[in-house]
Each structure stands twice: as C-alpha cells, then as structure tokens.
Amino acid sequence: VEVAKTLAQQAGDLKQLKAAIANFDHCALKRGARSLVFSDGHPSARVMIIGEAPGRDEDRIGRPFVGRAGQLLDKMLAAIDMDRTSEDKDAAVYITNVLPWRPPQNRDPQPEEIFMMMPFVRRHVELVDPDVVVLMGNIACHGVLGKRGITRLRGQWVEALGRPVLPMFHPAFLLRSPHMKREAWADLLDLKAKLKSLG
Ligand code: URA
C-alpha cells in the first residue's frame, strides 16, 4: 500500500496515473487479467462514478461498464439526461472502478486487494476533481467509506474524498433484484437535484 501511495501521489495527470497503475506489480489480480480497465467518459464531468471491478466484457474490451450491468447503467444515466459519451459539462459522466483488473471468474475482490488499490482511486478522484462522486455497490463503499451495507448506505449523501458522495445500488444488483429499481430511481433524481443545488 505504501508503494501504491507514493506512485499515485507522483502521478501529475490521468495519463501518468494510468501508467503508474500499469507498472504496479503488487496486486495479484493484474496477472490474471487481460486488460487494464482505467476509465471511460469525460474528465471534465461533474459526476464521477466508482464501480467495483471489470467483468468479462470489460476485461475483453478494456473499458468499464460495457456488459449487461453497463447497459443498465447507461439507461439509468440517460433517464437523468446524462451520458458518458457527452462532452457537455452537465451531461457528462466519468466512470472508473475500485479495481482496474478483473478478478478471476468475477469473484468478489478481497479486502486486501481493495485497500491496495485505493491510493490510485483517491488520486484518480483528485485529478478528475468532480463535484460529486457516486459509489456503485458495496465494494466501492468498502474502499471509500470503509464499510459495507449498501441497503442502509444508499441514498444518503456523505462527505468523503473531499466532496459529497452518494452510495447507490450497483446496476448488476439491480439486474438480479429489479424491484429495487425504485430506490435507484429515487437516488438518480437526488443526484440530479444535488448537481442543481451546487449550481
Ligand atoms: N461492474 C463494475 O463494477 N464495473 C464494471 O466495469 C463492470 C461491471
């Protein structure tokens, strides 16, 4: 973790941060993954979304949230007029994950793996400097807030990473539990309202 902290702090821009992660050999997940999945979307976005880890499709393509969960995420964002391909400040979103490498067979990331990579995530947020951060699911909450329990955490703004942070249900969870989409919808509206209130 100390090595990760030092490397992350030395990165002066997103390109250097990506290179620092690519050169970081202390996380075992790297060896089993095909791609380094760094981010998608526009870095001037006001909203930065932090997910869990790449899955099969993300590992193959090298971009976050491009599989089924990603398609649902895109629909959720479209419902509040946001779009990762947009360069318009109010519509743009920037997307990354806690883990840049796919865990074998999509197993849950281990706590050590999460904490090992968190310095890069923190630096990533500093460099993008979004107005708000959305944490998708328990792994992102574990990494950023140090706790799980998304059912209780979701929908409650907290201060972390130097800015307002909103935990939400992960779209992969919503695919399995579609009746929870009501809560997700409420959180999306809340996100939109927050951006408006911040001006
Ligand atoms: N789930 C995630 O958390 N991240 C991805 O990139 C894809 C699926």
Side-chain angles (χ1 to χ4, degrees):
V1 180
E2 289 310 315
V3 180
K5 266 189 201 160
T6 308
L7 288 174
Q9 279 312 316
Q10 283 167 354
D13 59 28
L14 292 171
K15 216 175 134 208
Q16 289 176 10
L17 184 64
K18 185 175 180 182
I21 296 171
N23 289 323
F24 183 69
D25 287 324
H26 299 277
C27 180
L29 294 177
K30 182 182 181 181
R31 290 190 277 285
R34 202 187 296 194
S35 309
L36 162 56
V37 178
F38 183 64
S39 71
D40 200 7
H42 204 277
S44 70
R46 298 182 66 196
V47 179
M48 180 165 176
I49 294 176
I50 304 180
E52 177 177 329
R56 183 170 41 98
D57 298 312
E58 290 78 18
D59 185 49
R60 189 163 44 82
I61 293 168
R63 275 196 295 137
F65 283 101
V66 291
R68 279 184 69 225
Q71 285 160 22
L72 176 56
L73 175 60
D74 283 339
K75 277 194 222 162
M76 291 162 65
L77 293 171
I80 51 166
D81 301 315
M82 303 196 81
D83 173 356
R84 70 170 95 181
T85 65
S86 178
E87 299 191 4
D88 174 66
K89 206 169 177 302
D90 287 315
V93 250
Y94 186 85
I95 305 178
T96 190
N97 285 304
V98 172
L99 280 312
W101 297 293
R102 181 196 183 194
Q105 273 79 49
N106 295 355
R107 66 156 171 75
D108 284 348
Q110 305 291 308
E112 311 81 67
E113 293 163 347
I114 296 170
F115 289 117
M116 175 85 78
M117 298 310 291
M118 273 312 294
F120 295 108
V121 176
R122 290 181 191 285
R123 186 68 183 143
H124 207 154
V125 174
E126 271 174 21
L127 290 170
V128 173
D129 194 22
D131 291 353
V132 300
V133 168
V134 174
L135 303 176
M136 289 290 183
N138 267 324
I139 300 297
C141 288
H142 194 177
V144 172
L145 307 177
K147 56 186 171 190
R148 302 197 187 202
I150 191 66
T151 306
R152 265 175 301 112
L153 294 171
R154 63 142 281 274
Q156 315 270 359
W157 288 94
V158 287
E159 194 71 17
L161 304 164
R163 65 208 81 223
V165 167
L166 181 67
M168 279 188 62
F169 285 134
H170 193 290
F173 169 77
L174 295 171
L175 288 172
R176 297 191 300 272
S177 311
H179 59 287
M180 300 302 232
K181 284 183 183 171
R182 266 164 59 111
E183 280 77 5
W185 174 238
D187 296 347
L188 288 168
L189 293 180
D190 197 6
L191 169 63
K192 195 77 180 169
K194 184 73 159 188
L195 290 170
K196 201 165 177 191
S197 78
L198 293 173

